[in-house]
Amino acid sequence: MREILTYLPQILPAYVAYLIAVISPGPAIMAIVSTSMTHGRKAGMTISLGIFAGSFTWACAAALGLATILQIYAMALQILKIFGGIYLLYLAYKAFRAVRGNDDLPQAVVQKSLTTRALLLRGYGIHVTNPKAIFAWLAIIALGMPQGAPASVAGLIIGMCMTTGFAIFMGYAVIFSTPHALKIYRNPRRWIEGAMAAFYCVAGLKLLTSRI
């Protein structure tokens, strides 16, 4: 334990970097917000678990030295980028269809609801098909683990970040599924869902056209 404490000057900046990244609005956060408002708290928390699993996947991959693998298999990353962009465009299409739907506020317990499996896979797919997530984790691990640091340092970084990420993801799901949030959502529903559609569309196109 004392050995790990000597690396705190590197660990803390890495943690702050993760905190900024996880709080910043992105496809994952927008998915939690929109799902919580349209399908309720349980659905929002379920998709949060999928996103959490995707983040944990990239965290472990970064800690295991995926940077070297990505240098060798660069084509795999390009394929992942294409799939991620297409998936975000698909979500944009789904959100656009919701805009053109009826004016009633969707109720998770009354109207059609997504299955737990579908929500988990959607959350996981959003995060794991976004190559930007792996680069964020590579930067966090590189920042917090100087050369020669023991594996326990990586474990501490991942543990701290994942605990925080879980709390933030679930917090978004709880906050945006409250009656007050639903009341706010009811009137400008089309505008909110239209903004979601535009966000996913821009994010998908940006991912498809960006250089990695």
Side-chain angles (χ1 to χ4, degrees):
M1 184 65 182
R2 184 174 298 177
E3 182 183 17
I4 295 178
L5 292 178
T6 61
Y7 291 95
L8 278 180
Q10 290 79 33
I11 293 174
L12 291 179
Y15 177 74
V16 172
Y18 173 80
L19 195 60
I20 294 172
V22 77
I23 292 177
S24 302
I29 296 300
M30 296 301 285
I32 295 172
V33 170
S34 61
T35 301
S36 299
M37 289 194 300
T38 57
H39 294 282
R41 180 169 299 176
K42 182 179 178 181
M45 296 178 76
T46 303
I47 199 171
S48 296
L49 283 175
I51 291 169
F52 175 83
S55 183
F56 185 69
T57 298
W58 282 133
C60 292
L64 292 173
L66 188 62
T68 303
I69 299 175
L70 291 178
Q71 290 175 357
I72 299 174
Y73 300 102
M75 183 59 68
L77 188 59
Q78 291 297 325
I79 293 173
L80 188 64
K81 184 185 77 166
I82 292 172
F83 273 105
I86 292 174
Y87 187 63
L88 288 175
L89 290 177
Y90 167 73
L91 292 180
Y93 168 73
K94 295 270 288 184
F96 179 71
R97 286 190 61 186
V99 174
R100 300 185 62 186
N102 57 59
D103 291 325
D104 296 330
L105 179 67
Q107 298 293 335
V109 295
V110 178
Q111 296 191 13
K112 61 179 181 179
S113 60
L114 297 172
T115 64
T116 299
R117 182 173 181 271
L119 286 167
L120 287 171
L121 290 177
R122 175 178 290 190
Y124 188 78
I126 287 173
H127 213 66
V128 85
T129 59
N130 186 359
K132 302 298 183 182
I134 181 58
F135 285 115
W137 269 109
L138 288 173
I140 290 167
I141 295 298
L143 185 63
M145 280 195 69
Q147 189 173 5
S152 55
V153 174
L156 179 60
I157 294 172
I158 292 175
M160 290 171 59
C161 292
M162 287 291 90
T163 301
T164 302
F166 183 84
I168 290 174
F169 294 152
M170 292 299 171
Y172 274 116
V174 170
I175 291 172
F176 285 94
S177 62
T178 59
H180 182 64
L182 293 175
K183 184 178 179 180
I184 295 174
Y185 170 73
R186 184 185 299 273
N187 293 327
R189 182 184 71 83
R190 290 182 181 275
W191 289 99
I192 293 174
E193 291 180 348
M196 298 291 184
F199 180 87
Y200 284 133
C201 185
V202 171
L205 291 174
K206 186 177 180 180
L207 189 57
L208 287 171
T209 57
S210 63
R211 291 185 178 182
I212 296 180

